[in-house]
Amino acid sequence: MAKMLLKQYSLFSVLITLFLLSILLSEARLMSSHPFSAKLSAKAMALKNEKLTHLHFYYHNLLAGPNVTALPLNPKGPLDFNDPAGLFGRLTMVDNPLTLEPELNSTTVGRVQGLYGVASRTDVAFVELVNFVFTADGEYRESTVTVLGRNPILAAGIREMPVVGGTGVFGFARGKVHFKTYSFDTTTGNGVVECDIYVFHY
C-alpha cells in the first residue's frame, strides 16, 4: 500500500513539474514574440534616488504690442473676456519668455512653448499643453518640464495644473505647477503670471 501511494505521489509530482514547465515555456515564447521590449534595471538607469525641486519665475503672455509671443491660430472676433461662449474654441500658440522677476527686461531663464485653447463656454478656462524650456546657462539648460491641464485664468488666487513629464535633468518628471496672475490687461489679453513648479525627478 505504501509503495502504491509513493508511486502515485511521484507521478503527481512529475505531472505538476511538467505543468509548471509548460507555463514557463509559454511565457518564454510570449516574450520572444515581442522583441521590441525588455525589462530594465531602475538602478542601472540611475533612477534610485528621487529628488524634489522647486522652481520659481514669471512668464509673459503677450498677445499685443511690438513683441507678440502668443499668436491666435483661429481668431474668433473681438477678444472679450466677459463673453466665454464667444471665446470658446479659440486656439493660441505661445513662445512666452520666462523671467526671474515680473519685469519683462529682467533675466530670462527660458521659454514657455506650446498651445492653449478656450475649453469652456461658461467661464474663461484654458486647456493648456506647454513645455517650460530652460535656456539659461547652468544645470537646467536644455531641460524641459511638460504641463497639461485646465487653467481657469480669471480665477482668484492660485490655479493648479499637473506636471506630466520632462526631459534632461527632469526626465521621468511628475508634480504640479501653481499659477498666480501677477498682472492682466483684459483689453489686450497681455498678462504676467507667477509660476511655482514643484517637480519630482531623478
Side-chain angles (χ1 to χ4, degrees):
M1 181 70 176
K3 289 183 178 179
M4 185 178 295
L5 288 174
L6 184 60
K7 285 182 179 180
Q8 290 177 345
Y9 177 76
S10 298
L11 180 61
F12 179 74
S13 298
V14 170
L15 290 174
I16 289 295
T17 302
L18 290 173
F19 176 71
L20 292 174
L21 282 172
S22 69
I23 291 176
L24 290 173
L25 288 172
S26 297
E27 289 185 353
R29 283 196 298 272
L30 184 63
M31 290 180 66
S32 65
S33 68
H34 297 290
F36 55 83
S37 66
K39 292 187 177 180
L40 302 176
S41 166
K43 287 184 179 180
M45 295 186 67
L47 299 180
K48 184 178 179 182
N49 298 315
E50 193 174 36
K51 299 182 282 289
L52 174 62
T53 297
H54 174 214
L55 307 168
H56 179 264
F57 31 62
Y58 297 82
Y59 82 75
H60 305 258
N61 189 67
L62 304 174
L63 283 159
N67 298 304
V68 168
T69 63
L71 180 67
L73 301 181
N74 58 337
K76 295 170 60 88
L79 192 64
D80 185 356
F81 289 95
N82 295 312
D83 179 21
L87 294 175
F88 178 69
R90 186 183 180 103
L91 299 173
T92 303
M93 188 70 71
V94 300
D95 182 18
N96 294 333
L98 278 176
T99 60
L100 283 181
E101 303 296 336
E103 295 75 26
L104 185 57
N105 60 359
S106 67
T107 303
T108 299
V109 297
R111 314 289 296 184
V112 178
Q113 297 173 335
L115 182 73
Y116 64 76
V118 182
S120 173
R121 296 179 59 85
T122 57
D123 62 338
V124 185
F126 293 168
V127 58
E128 296 190 16
L129 173 56
V130 293
N131 291 307
F132 287 78
V133 183
F134 301 103
T135 59
D137 290 336
E139 179 184 4
Y140 304 134
R141 183 174 175 81
E142 296 184 355
S143 295
T144 67
V145 171
T146 301
V147 174
L148 170 64
R150 183 178 189 271
N151 183 7
I153 66 164
L154 299 183
I158 292 172
R159 292 105 59 192
E160 184 174 291
M161 291 175 59
V163 171
V164 297
T167 63
V169 172
F170 300 112
F172 297 95
R174 61 186 178 88
K176 64 180 181 178
V177 56
H178 286 169
F179 289 147
K180 185 177 181 181
T181 300
Y182 179 85
S183 65
F184 183 63
D185 186 329
T186 56
T187 301
T188 64
N190 287 356
V192 180
V193 178
E194 184 175 8
C195 305
D196 285 283
I197 298 179
Y198 304 90
V199 57
F200 287 96
H201 60 101
Y202 293 95

